[in-house]
C-alpha cells in the first residue's frame, strides 16, 4: 500500500490546496512546503519498505501493479530531489507569473504521476502512468495562457500522445508473445517458443515502440516539441520538463527493453544498430542547434535533446557498462540541466533578459547565479569532478567494449564533438558574464526592472541581487552533480546484474 499512498498523496494534496487557495491573490508557502515534505517522506518509505501490490486485474495478464527495484529507486530519487529544490525556487520566480495556484496544483499532480511511473511493476501500469504524466504536465507548458503558450502546450500534447500510441503497439506485441509472467523481470518476459518464427514482425514493432516512447525524451525524429515548449513555459516548469519529465520516456524504454522484451532479443539485430545510429544523430544534431541558438532557454532545450540521447546511447549498447553510464547520466543531467534552466529563469526574473547576448556583465550583480551556471556547464561538458565526466566515461567505455562494429569507434568521436560544442555554447555565457569587456551597449542589465526593488528589500544587493531562495536550490543541484562525479563508480555497483 505504501506505493499507492505515495502516488495518491501529492495528487490529493495539490487538488486540495487548489480548492483552499484558488480565490486568493498570493499563495502561502507553508502548506506547500508541508506537502512536499510529506510526499518525500512517503516516497522514501515506499522506496525501501513497500512490497509489490496488485491493485486490480482486467484479465489474467492485464493488471495494475506497483513494485520497487533499484532502477525505480534511482529514478524516484532523482524525481524527489528535483521537485523539492524546484518548489522552493518557484516560490520566488512565480511572483512574476499569474495563475500560481494552478501551477502548484499541476506541480503536485505531475509529481504523483512520476512516482507512479517509477514504481510501476508492468507495462500496462507504466503506460497509464506515463500518459498521466503527459496530461498533468501540459498545463505547466501552457501556463501563461497566451496564444503561443497554448500552441506550445498542444504541440507537446500531440507529440507525447502520438508517441505513446506508437509505444502501445509494442505493449500489445509483448503481451501477445509473453509467457504467463508479465511483471517486469530481468531478461524480459517473452516466450521463446511463441516468438520463434516471428522475429521480423516483433523487431519492427519493438523499434516503433522505442521511437514512440523516445518522443518524450526528444529523440530524433520526434524531438520537435522540446524547443517549442521549453522557452514558453515558466522556468521551474522548464527545469522539471528537461530534468526529469522528459526522462519518463527513458524509464519506459528501459523497462520495455530490459525488463519486458529482453536485451538478448535485440542484441546484434538491425534494431540495435538503428537505435545507436539515431541516438548519435540526435546527440550531434541537438548540440549543433544549441550552438547556433541565441535565446538562452531555447539553447538549453536543444541541449536537452542532445544530452538525454546520451542516456539512449548507453541503453542501446545493451551492455551493463552502457546501462551504468545511462543511469549516472540520468541524475547528473537532471541536476545540471535543471540548474541551468533555473539560472535562465533568474535572469528573466531579475533582468527580463532572455537572449545570450544580453547577459554580458551579469556577474557583477548575480555572481552566485553565474557561478552555478558555470559548474552546471562543467558537468554537461564532462569536466571532472562533476558528474558529467563520470557518466560519459562509462558511456565511452561501453562504446569501445560493445560489439557493434564501426559504431564502437564513431560513438566516442561523437561524444567528444558534442562535448566541444557544449563548451562552445555554455562557457561563453560565463566568460562574458564575468569579463564583459568594452561597451556594454543598450539594454544592458544595469537598466534594472522595477521588481529589482523587491529583491533589494530582501537584502541581496549588491553582492547577489537574486533572493537566497533562488540560489540556494541551485547550489543544492550542483551538489547532486558533484556527488555523482565523486561517487559515481561506487554508485555503479548498485546497478549490478541489470543486463
Amino acid at each position: 500500500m505504501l506505493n499507492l499512498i505515495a502516488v495518491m498523496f501529492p495528487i490529493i494534496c495539490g487538488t486540495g490546496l487548489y480548492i483552499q487557495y484558488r480565490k486568493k491573490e498570493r499563495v502561502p508557502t507553508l502548506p506547500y512546503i508541508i506537502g512536499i515534505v510529506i510526499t518525500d517522506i512517503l516516497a522514501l518509505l515506499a522506496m525501501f519498505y513497500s512490497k509489490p501490490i496488485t491493485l486490480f486485474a482486467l484479465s489474467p495478464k492485464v493488471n495494475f501493479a506497483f513494485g520497487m527495484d533499484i532502477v525505480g529507486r534511482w529514478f524516484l530519487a532523482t524525481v524527489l530531489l528535483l521537485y523539492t529544490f524546484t518548489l522552493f525556487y518557484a516560490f520566488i520566480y512565480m511572483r512574476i507569473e499569474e495563475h500560481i495556484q494552478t501551477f502548484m496544483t499541476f506541480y503536485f499532480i505531475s509529481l504523483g504521476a512520476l512516482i507512479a511511473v517509477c514504481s510501476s511493476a508492468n507495462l500496462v501500469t507504466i503506460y497509464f502512468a506515463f500518459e498521466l504524466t503527459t496530461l498533468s504536465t501540459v498545463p505547466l507548458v501552457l501556463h501563461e495562457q497566451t496564444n503561443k503558450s497554448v500552441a506550445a502546450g498542444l504541440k507537446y500534447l500531440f507529440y507525447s500522445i502520438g508517441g505513446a500510441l506508437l509505444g502501445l503497439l509494442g505493449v500489445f506485441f509483448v503481451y501477445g508473445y509473453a509467457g504467463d509472467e508479465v511483471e517486469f523481470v530481468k531478461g524480459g518476459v517473452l516466450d521463446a517458443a511463441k516468438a520463434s518464427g516471428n522475429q521480423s514482425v516483433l523487431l519492427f514493432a519493438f523499434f516503433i515502440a522505442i521511437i514512440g516512447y523516445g518522443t518524450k525524451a526528444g529523440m530524433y525524429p520526434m524531438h520537435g516539441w522540446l524547443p517549442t515548449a521549453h522557452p514558453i513555459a515558466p522556468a521551474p516548469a522548464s527545469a522539471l520538463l528537461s530534468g526529469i519529465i522528459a526522462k519518463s520516456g527513458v524509464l519506459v524504454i528501459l523497462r520495455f527493453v530490459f525488463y519486458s522484451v529482453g536485451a538478448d532479443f535485440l542484441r546484434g539485430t538491425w534494431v540495435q544498430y538503428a537505435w545507436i545510429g539515431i541516438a548519435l544523430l540526435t546527440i550531434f544534431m541537438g548540440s549543433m542547434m544549441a550552438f547556433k541558438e541565441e535565446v538562452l532557454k531555447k539553447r538549453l532545450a536543444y541541449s536537452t535533446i542532445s544530452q538525454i540521447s546520451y542516456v539512449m546511447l548507453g541503453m542501446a549498447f545493451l551492455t551493463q557498462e552502457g546501462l551504468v553510464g545511462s543511469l549516472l547520466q540520468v541524475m547528473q543531467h537532471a541536476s545540471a540541466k535543471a540548474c541551468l534552466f533555473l539560472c535562465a529563469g533568474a535572469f528573466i526574473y531579475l533582468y527580463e533578459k532572455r537572449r545570450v547576448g544580453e547577459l554580458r556583465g551579469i556577474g557583477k550583480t548575480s555572481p552566485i547565479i553565474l557561478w552555478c551556471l558555470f559548474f552546471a556547464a562543467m558537468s554537461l561538458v564532462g569536466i571532472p569532478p562533476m558528474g558529467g565526466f563520470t557518466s560519459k566515461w562509462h558511456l565511452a567505455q561501453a562504446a569501445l567494449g560493445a560489439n557493434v562494429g564501426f559504431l564502437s569507434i564513431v560513438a566516442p568521436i561523437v561524444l567528444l564533438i558534442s562535448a566541444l560544442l557544449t563548451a562552445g555554447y555554455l562557457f561563453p555565457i560565463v566568460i562574458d558574464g564575468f569579463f564583459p569587456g568594452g561597451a556594454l551597449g543598450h539594454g544592458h542589465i544595469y537598466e534594472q526592472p522595477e521588481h529589482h526593488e523587491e529583491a533589494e528589500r530582501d537584502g541581496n544587493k549588491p553582492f547577489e541581487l537574486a533572493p537566497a531562495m533562488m540560489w540556494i536550490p541551485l547550489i543544492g543541484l550542483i551538489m547532486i552533480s558533484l556527488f555523482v562525479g565523486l561517487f559515481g563508480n561506487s554508485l555503479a555497483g548498485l546497478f549490478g546484474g541489470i543486463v
Side-chain angles (χ1 to χ4, degrees), residues 20-331:
Q20 178 69 26
Y21 299 113
R22 68 186 185 280
K23 295 182 179 179
K24 295 189 176 182
E25 293 183 3
R26 295 186 67 88
V27 176
T29 59
L30 184 59
Y32 291 98
I33 293 174
I34 294 173
I36 194 66
V37 169
I38 295 176
T39 299
D40 290 344
I41 292 172
L42 291 173
L44 289 171
L45 290 173
M47 285 172 65
F48 297 106
Y49 297 106
S50 65
K51 296 181 180 179
I53 179 175
T54 299
L55 299 181
F56 58 90
L58 300 177
S59 74
K61 280 188 178 182
V62 180
N63 59 73
F64 288 82
F66 292 107
M68 195 70 70
D69 63 3
I70 183 58
V71 171
R73 293 186 184 101
W74 183 255
F75 274 85
L76 182 53
T78 307
V79 169
L80 297 178
L81 288 167
L82 258 65
Y83 265 77
T84 301
F85 282 123
T86 303
L87 178 65
F88 286 93
Y89 175 98
F91 289 145
I92 300 297
Y93 181 88
M94 296 305 291
R95 293 176 183 175
I96 63 173
E97 298 283 349
E98 298 179 352
H99 318 296
I100 302 175
Q101 295 90 339
T102 303
F103 175 88
M104 292 297 182
T105 299
F106 286 101
Y107 167 93
F108 274 92
I109 294 175
S110 64
L111 175 54
L114 282 170
I115 295 173
V117 171
C118 295
S119 56
S120 295
N122 57 47
L123 281 179
V124 168
T125 308
I126 203 170
Y127 177 82
F128 279 94
F130 181 69
E131 291 283 52
L132 179 59
T133 300
T134 296
L135 295 175
S136 60
T137 52
V138 168
L140 300 180
V141 176
L142 51 79
H143 176 80
E144 293 183 358
Q145 300 180 17
T146 61
N147 290 336
K148 288 182 65 175
S149 64
V150 171
L154 291 176
K155 186 174 184 178
Y156 167 52
L157 177 64
F158 294 149
Y159 266 75
S160 298
I161 295 294
L165 289 176
L166 294 178
L168 185 60
L169 177 68
V171 176
F172 290 151
F173 275 89
V174 167
Y175 274 69
Y177 288 87
D180 296 331
E181 179 63 53
V182 293
E183 306 297 290
F184 292 140
V185 62
K186 296 176 184 178
V189 299
L190 291 183
D191 187 314
K194 291 182 179 180
S196 178
N198 298 288
Q199 286 89 345
S200 296
V201 174
L202 290 174
L203 288 174
F204 178 77
F206 296 157
F207 178 70
I208 293 298
I210 291 171
I211 296 296
Y213 290 126
T215 300
K216 181 77 70 142
M219 189 168 70
Y220 182 87
M222 306 289 280
H223 64 284
W225 69 269
L226 278 97
T228 302
H230 281 67
I232 205 69
S238 297
L240 295 176
L241 282 166
S242 179
I244 193 59
I245 293 168
K247 293 189 182 73
S248 61
V250 169
L251 178 54
V252 177
I253 292 176
L254 193 156
R255 292 300 197 190
F256 182 81
V257 170
F258 293 95
Y259 288 84
S260 299
V261 173
D264 289 339
F265 190 85
L266 300 179
R267 189 176 289 112
T269 66
W270 67 267
V271 173
Q272 182 185 19
Y273 293 108
W275 188 8
I276 293 173
I278 293 173
L280 289 172
L281 175 62
T282 309
I283 290 171
F284 179 75
M285 178 200 68
S287 296
M288 285 295 297
M289 295 301 292
F291 187 82
K292 294 162 49 178
E293 181 57 52
E294 280 299 309
V295 177
L296 179 55
K297 287 183 69 180
K298 198 168 185 178
R299 176 178 292 191
L300 297 179
Y302 281 118
S303 174
T304 295
I305 293 172
S306 175
Q307 293 287 326
I308 295 183
S309 279
Y310 280 69
V311 183
M312 291 291 191
L313 178 65
M315 292 195 299
F317 291 135
L318 302 176
T319 63
Q320 181 68 28
E321 184 74 5
L323 196 52
V324 166
S326 292
L327 291 172
L328 294 176
Q329 174 73 0
V330 163
M331 185 168 285

